[in-house]
Protein backbone atom coordinates (compact mmCIF):
# COMPACT_ATOMS: atom_id res chain seq x y z
CA UNK A 1 0.00 0.00 0.00
CA UNK A 2 2.77 2.45 0.89
CA UNK A 3 4.43 1.77 -2.42
CA UNK A 4 1.25 2.72 -4.28
CA UNK A 5 0.84 5.90 -2.23
CA UNK A 6 4.43 6.86 -2.99
CA UNK A 7 3.95 6.16 -6.71
CA UNK A 8 0.76 8.25 -6.82
CA UNK A 9 2.36 11.14 -4.92
CA UNK A 10 5.45 11.02 -7.11
CA UNK A 11 3.24 11.01 -10.24
CA UNK A 12 1.27 14.00 -9.01
CA UNK A 13 4.45 15.92 -8.21
CA UNK A 14 6.03 15.09 -11.59
CA UNK A 15 2.86 16.04 -13.48
CA UNK A 16 2.50 19.28 -11.58
CA UNK A 17 6.13 20.22 -12.18
CA UNK A 18 5.84 19.30 -15.88
CA UNK A 19 2.87 21.66 -16.30
CA UNK A 20 4.48 24.53 -14.46
CA UNK A 21 6.77 25.64 -17.32
CA UNK A 22 3.79 25.90 -19.68
CA UNK A 23 1.98 28.07 -17.15
CA UNK A 24 5.08 30.18 -16.64
CA UNK A 25 5.55 30.56 -20.42
CA UNK A 26 1.92 31.61 -20.80
CA UNK A 27 2.35 34.22 -18.08
CA UNK A 28 5.51 35.53 -19.73
CA UNK A 29 3.71 35.73 -23.08
CA UNK A 30 0.90 37.80 -21.53
CA UNK A 31 3.39 40.04 -19.70
CA UNK A 32 5.40 40.56 -22.90
CA UNK A 33 2.22 41.27 -24.88
CA UNK A 34 1.15 43.93 -22.37
CA UNK A 35 4.63 45.46 -22.46
CA UNK A 36 4.62 45.35 -26.25
CA UNK A 37 1.29 47.16 -26.35
CA UNK A 38 2.79 49.79 -24.05
CA UNK A 39 5.81 50.14 -26.37
CA UNK A 40 3.47 50.66 -29.32
CA UNK A 41 1.56 53.31 -27.37
CA UNK A 42 4.80 55.11 -26.45
CA UNK A 43 5.89 55.20 -30.09
CA UNK A 44 2.47 56.55 -31.12
CA UNK A 45 2.58 59.17 -28.35
CA UNK A 46 6.09 60.23 -29.39
CA UNK A 47 5.00 60.44 -33.04
CA UNK A 48 2.11 62.73 -32.10
CA UNK A 49 4.35 64.83 -29.85
CA UNK A 50 7.12 65.15 -32.44
CA UNK A 51 4.65 66.07 -35.19
CA UNK A 52 7.57 65.81 -37.61
CA UNK A 53 6.97 65.53 -41.33
CA UNK A 54 8.23 62.25 -42.77
CA UNK A 55 8.77 60.55 -39.39
CA UNK A 56 5.74 58.25 -39.57
CA UNK A 57 7.67 55.20 -40.81
CA UNK A 58 10.38 55.68 -38.18
CA UNK A 59 7.86 55.55 -35.35
CA UNK A 60 6.18 52.51 -36.90
CA UNK A 61 9.51 50.69 -37.02
CA UNK A 62 10.53 51.84 -33.54
CA UNK A 63 7.30 50.76 -31.86
CA UNK A 64 7.45 47.32 -33.48
CA UNK A 65 11.16 46.98 -32.70
CA UNK A 66 10.73 47.83 -29.02
CA UNK A 67 7.72 45.54 -28.65
CA UNK A 68 9.35 42.58 -30.43
CA UNK A 69 12.46 42.82 -28.25
CA UNK A 70 10.28 41.77 -25.31
CA UNK A 71 9.74 38.33 -26.80
CA UNK A 72 7.03 36.41 -28.65
CA UNK A 73 4.22 38.12 -26.75
CA UNK A 74 5.54 41.56 -27.61
CA UNK A 75 5.96 40.67 -31.27
CA UNK A 76 2.42 39.28 -31.33
CA UNK A 77 1.00 42.46 -29.78
CA UNK A 78 2.93 44.63 -32.24
CA UNK A 79 1.60 42.67 -35.21
CA UNK A 80 -2.01 42.74 -33.99
CA UNK A 81 -1.89 46.47 -33.22
CA UNK A 82 -0.08 47.34 -36.47
CA UNK A 83 -2.47 45.30 -38.61
CA UNK A 84 -5.53 46.76 -36.89
CA UNK A 85 -4.23 50.31 -37.25
CA UNK A 86 -3.44 49.89 -40.93
CA UNK A 87 -6.82 48.27 -41.61
CA UNK A 88 -8.59 51.14 -39.86
CA UNK A 89 -6.54 53.74 -41.71
CA UNK A 90 -7.17 52.21 -45.11
CA UNK A 91 -10.89 51.61 -44.47
CA UNK A 92 -11.87 54.72 -42.52
CA UNK A 93 -9.41 57.43 -43.40
CA UNK A 94 -9.15 56.48 -47.06
CA UNK A 95 -5.37 56.45 -47.17
CA UNK A 96 -3.84 54.94 -50.26
CA UNK A 97 -2.75 51.32 -50.50
CA UNK A 98 0.82 52.43 -51.21
CA UNK A 99 1.03 54.26 -47.87
CA UNK A 100 -0.39 51.23 -46.05
CA UNK A 101 2.14 48.97 -47.79
CA UNK A 102 5.01 51.28 -46.78
CA UNK A 103 3.78 51.40 -43.18
CA UNK A 104 3.53 47.60 -43.05
CA UNK A 105 7.06 47.33 -44.46
CA UNK A 106 8.35 49.56 -41.64
CA UNK A 107 6.32 47.54 -39.11
CA UNK A 108 7.79 44.24 -40.33
CA UNK A 109 11.30 45.72 -40.42
CA UNK A 110 11.08 46.75 -36.77
CA UNK A 111 9.49 43.47 -35.65
CA UNK A 112 12.24 41.46 -37.35
CA UNK A 113 14.91 43.33 -35.36
CA UNK A 114 15.90 45.81 -38.05
CA UNK A 115 17.29 49.15 -36.89
CA UNK A 116 14.45 51.70 -36.80
CA UNK A 117 16.93 54.44 -37.70
CA UNK A 118 16.71 53.20 -41.28
CA UNK A 119 13.51 55.26 -41.44
CA UNK A 120 14.67 58.21 -39.31
CA UNK A 121 14.25 61.47 -41.21
CA UNK A 122 17.04 64.00 -41.12
CA UNK A 123 16.49 66.63 -38.45
CA UNK A 124 14.23 64.57 -36.16
CA UNK A 125 15.20 65.58 -32.61
CA UNK A 126 17.54 63.09 -30.87
CA UNK A 127 15.07 62.71 -27.99
CA UNK A 128 13.11 60.38 -30.26
Amino acid sequence: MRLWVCIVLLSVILCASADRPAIVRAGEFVRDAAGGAWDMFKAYRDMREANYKGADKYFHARGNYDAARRGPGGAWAAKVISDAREKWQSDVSGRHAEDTRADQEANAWGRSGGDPNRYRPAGLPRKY
Side-chain angles (χ1 to χ4, degrees), residues 9-124:
L9 286 175
L10 184 59
S11 297
V12 168
I13 290 168
L14 288 174
C15 289
S17 66
D19 288 342
R20 191 167 191 283
I23 292 169
V24 170
R25 283 193 307 270
E28 290 171 350
F29 185 89
V30 170
R31 182 193 67 216
D32 292 347
W38 178 251
D39 290 333
M40 295 293 287
F41 172 74
K42 287 191 309 187
Y44 176 75
R45 183 188 61 200
D46 287 349
M47 179 178 71
R48 301 287 296 190
E49 179 184 299
N51 195 27
Y52 197 86
K53 187 174 176 116
D56 179 50
K57 306 302 179 266
Y58 165 74
F59 288 108
H60 279 267
R62 194 193 87 190
N64 279 270
Y65 176 81
D66 291 344
R69 286 185 59 196
R70 291 181 180 273
W76 174 82
K79 179 157 181 44
V80 168
I81 291 168
S82 295
D83 290 350
R85 182 173 186 266
E86 292 308 318
K87 174 130 180 68
W88 180 83
Q89 279 188 328
S90 65
D91 291 352
V92 175
S93 71
R95 294 180 69 182
H96 300 294
E98 182 60 27
D99 186 56
T100 296
R101 188 202 57 73
D103 284 350
Q104 287 290 40
E105 179 185 303
N107 294 336
W109 175 261
R111 266 194 315 274
S112 69
D115 184 4
N117 288 315
R118 171 185 185 179
Y119 297 98
R120 179 183 273 281
L124 181 67

